[in-house]
Amino acid sequence: IIHDNAVYGLTTGQTSPTAPKNFKTKSTPEGVIEYPINPLTLALSAEATLVARGFSGDIAGLTSLIKEAITHKGFSVLDILQPCVTFNHEMTFQWYKERIYYLTKTYSSTDKTEAFKKALEFPKSHNCPTADKKIPLGIFYRENRPTYEEELPQIKNTSLVNQLIENIDVSDIIAEMS
């Protein structure tokens, strides 16, 4: 779960990696010169099997997404857009409300290419032509595949901690070391 407000509020409002280009703070009075990272495209390229974005101003929708992320078997990433009322006076509650929209029921969250396209629908700068672009919310990508643990026969049924050493035959290993 990524709490994404584009600033590090506990460090008096320094910019974070998701701060938009040209965003001004005490630490960047002339504005951020880098383009922001996109948590969703990073998650998609890192093979996350559930990639979603929510908004802190939508408690019911966000609660549903958090439940989805927690119960999903696999690598889940949930980016939560949220205003920082102290240090981010640009990306306010109203700013988000004017831009967010929800992925429709006709959107297929199983198409990774479409997920990348939707994830790229986000303003990169307040001073660029895409500043008024809409921001999609919802589940961008979902894939059901075996988890890492399910692929390891040693821990497929239970963790190593819960396995009794008496039940493990190590005679081959001891013979090999002798």
Side-chain angles (χ1 to χ4, degrees):
I1 295 177
I2 301 167
H3 295 277
D4 189 352
N5 62 13
V7 298
Y8 291 123
L10 295 176
T11 60
T12 65
Q14 291 175 314
T15 59
S16 79
T18 60
K21 185 168 177 59
N22 302 318
F23 182 67
K24 294 180 180 181
T25 69
K26 290 178 186 177
S27 66
T28 55
E30 300 300 317
V32 175
I33 60 173
E34 299 94 359
Y35 279 91
I37 64 164
N38 183 323
L40 299 186
T41 57
L42 285 174
L44 288 163
S45 65
E47 296 296 325
T49 54
L50 182 92
V51 178
R53 179 188 291 137
F55 175 56
S56 64
D58 174 18
I59 301 301
L62 185 55
T63 300
S64 176
L65 288 173
I66 290 171
K67 286 180 182 177
E68 286 275 345
I70 290 172
T71 60
H72 176 75
K73 285 177 64 177
F75 177 18
S76 300
V77 174
L78 173 57
D79 186 31
I80 302 173
L81 302 176
Q82 51 191 327
C84 176
V85 297
T86 306
F87 296 109
N88 189 339
H89 300 291
E90 293 181 33
M91 298 167 83
T92 63
F93 184 83
Q94 187 61 37
W95 186 90
Y96 280 115
K97 287 300 258 186
E98 291 170 2
R99 287 163 178 78
I100 60 172
Y101 75 93
Y102 297 89
L103 297 172
T104 64
K105 292 181 179 175
T106 59
Y107 172 78
S108 174
S109 62
T110 60
D111 185 335
K112 191 179 273 191
T113 301
E114 281 303 309
F116 268 105
K117 287 179 186 176
K118 285 293 178 190
L120 290 170
E121 289 182 23
F122 196 97
K124 293 182 179 175
S125 167
H126 294 297
N127 302 329
C128 73
T130 62
D132 291 323
K133 202 170 194 179
K134 297 294 183 182
I135 304 168
L137 302 178
I139 296 176
F140 288 64
Y141 185 70
R142 180 190 343 243
E143 178 182 350
N144 293 316
R145 66 176 183 225
T147 63
Y148 183 80
E149 292 82 5
E150 290 171 338
E151 296 284 336
L152 295 174
Q154 307 90 321
I155 60 172
K156 189 171 186 173
N157 298 321
T158 187
S159 66
L160 288 176
V161 171
N162 291 328
Q163 294 181 34
L164 298 175
I165 193 82
E166 301 88 48
N167 298 339
I168 300 173
D169 181 11
V170 292
S171 58
D172 290 342
I173 298 170
I174 292 171
E176 188 179 312
M177 297 172 89
S178 301

